[in-house]
């Protein structure tokens, strides 16, 4: 059955750089005319010049495909107001990684001392630059996201006007936070709507399903499905499509990241169909909610599946 979507957006995408960028970019652009592009390159994007240069490499890699990259910067507590003002027109959001928690995040934040973060986050709040967060501690792998809840609570209370996006949430407890703090929002991936830890490690180990945060329990997946299928206004689609070279995935010491770009929208449409969720909800989850949360203009492009 044909299905038309107006300007579907991928609000969490890793496009990489160099040959990998050139190999994968068009897979996203075929179904997503716009995406939030994550900054965890080596080295991470942390200057205006780097963001501008990366954006032009992305546009070049897209060839004839119409695609708007919404650029992000790698958060550092040292960013001051003058720097943030100077970069404001080039970035849609700033991404905060706890140090060492995932791929290329070594230069991230340690300790989460609110006073240390205050100058940068207050300036972002005033300038209306959203903060995207990879919310995991370095505790026991199944508890990392739930343990991060107290940090989300501190950030959301200390900076009530700052838009905070909990990236790629995987737990019932993160879903609960959405209704507790008006300034907390979330992205949800397609793989976390489909798989649990059983699919990753319950039988033969599946390296291509290994990512951070790791897929959790059936009740966590159900909680994600509930808010995604009902298009809860505070959630939006973000694939977290994160390719690695095959030898880095099929290895002793597998890199974290699930590559879904070529099939993400198709899988999502299938999930909504299987669960009898409406087309209007799918449209809101893949575009409408994100437009409101980020206050962005989107490319006027229809995608026919
Ligand atoms: C991502 C990557 O490879 O860049 N990996 C992942 O497992 N999701 C980084 C991230 O979003 O954590
Ligand atoms: Zn990611």
């Amino acid at each position: 059955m044909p299905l038309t979507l107006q300007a579907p957006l991928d609000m969490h995408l890793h496009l990489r750089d160099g040959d990998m960028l050139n190999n994968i970019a068009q897979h996203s652009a075929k179904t997503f005319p716009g995406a939030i592009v994550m900054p965890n390159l080596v080295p991470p994007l942390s200057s205006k010049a780097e963001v501008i240069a990366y954006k032009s490499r992305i546009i070049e890699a897209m060839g004839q495909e119409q695609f708007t990259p919404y650029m992000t910067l790698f958060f550092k507590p040292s960013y001051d107001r003058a720097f943030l003002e100077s970069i404001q027109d080039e970035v849609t959001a700033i991404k905060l990684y706890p140090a060492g928690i995932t791929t290329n995040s070594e230069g991230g934040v340690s300790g989460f001392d609110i006073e240390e973060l205050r100058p940068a986050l207050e300036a972002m709040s005033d300038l209306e630059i959203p903060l995207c967060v990879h919310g995991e501690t370095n505790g026991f792998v199944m508890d990392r996201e739930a343990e991060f809840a107290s940090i989300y609570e501190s950030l959301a209370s200390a900076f009530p006007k700052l838009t905070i996006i909990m990236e790629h949430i995987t737990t019932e407890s993160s879903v609960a936070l959405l209704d507790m703090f008006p300034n907390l929002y979330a992205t949800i991936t397609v793989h976390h709507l489909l798989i649990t830890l059983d699919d990753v490690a319950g039988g033969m180990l599946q390296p291509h399903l290994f990512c951070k945060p790791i897929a959790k329990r059936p009740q966590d997946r159900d909680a994600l499905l509930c808010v995604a299928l009902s298009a809860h206004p505070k959630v939006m689609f973000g694939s977290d499509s994160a390719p690695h070279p095959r030898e880095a995935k099929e290895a002793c010491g597998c890199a974290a990241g699930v590559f879904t770009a070529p099939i993400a929208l198709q899988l999502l449409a299938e999930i909504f169909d299987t669960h009898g969720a409406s087309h209007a909800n799918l449209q809101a989850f893949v575009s409408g909610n994100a437009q409101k949360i980020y206050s962005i203009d989107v490319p006027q492009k229809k995608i026919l599946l």
Side-chain angles (χ1 to χ4, degrees), residues 12 14 38 95 97 134 168 240 242:
H12 182 134
H14 298 272
M38 288 297 159
K95 175 76 183 285
Y97 292 89
H134 183 117
H168 42 51
D240 194 18

Side-chain angles (χ1 to χ4, degrees), residues 169-218:
I169 58 169
T170 62
T171 62
E172 211 175 357
S173 56
S174 295
V175 168
L177 286 176
L178 289 169
D179 292 325
M180 289 162 61
F181 294 89
N183 56 333
L184 284 185
Y185 302 86
T187 56
I188 299 178
T189 73
V190 71
H191 48 284
H192 290 122
L193 292 174
L194 280 173
I195 64 170
T196 66
L197 184 61
D198 245 11
D199 299 291
V200 186
M204 301 276 272
L205 190 66
Q206 300 298 323
H208 294 284
L209 300 183
F210 172 64
C211 68
K212 307 279 181 75
I214 193 114
K216 305 286 187 317
R217 296 175 174 79

Side-chain angles (χ1 to χ4, degrees), residues 16 20 103 200 205-212 242-259:
R16 312 304 195 203
M20 180 70 98
T103 310
V200 186
L205 190 66
Q206 300 298 323
H208 294 284
L209 300 183
F210 172 64
C211 68
K212 307 279 181 75
H244 291 272
R246 182 180 284 265
E247 61 272 19
K249 292 295 290 176
E250 297 173 0
C252 180
C254 160
V258 176
F259 177 49

Side-chain angles (χ1 to χ4, degrees), residues 35 48 66 109 129 181 224 233 239:
K48 186 171 178 171
Q66 183 196 353
V109 170
I129 304 173
F181 294 89
L224 300 177
S239 71

Side-chain angles (χ1 to χ4, degrees), residues 31 35 44 57 60 69 76 88 91 112 116 118 120-122 140 172 195 209 218 238 249 265 299:
T31 45
R57 293 197 295 280
E60 198 175 320
K76 291 186 178 167
Q88 176 176 29
V91 301
F112 286 91
E116 190 200 343
R118 187 175 294 282
L121 294 184
E122 250 165 24
F140 178 65
E172 211 175 357
I195 64 170
L209 300 183
K249 292 295 290 176
L265 189 63

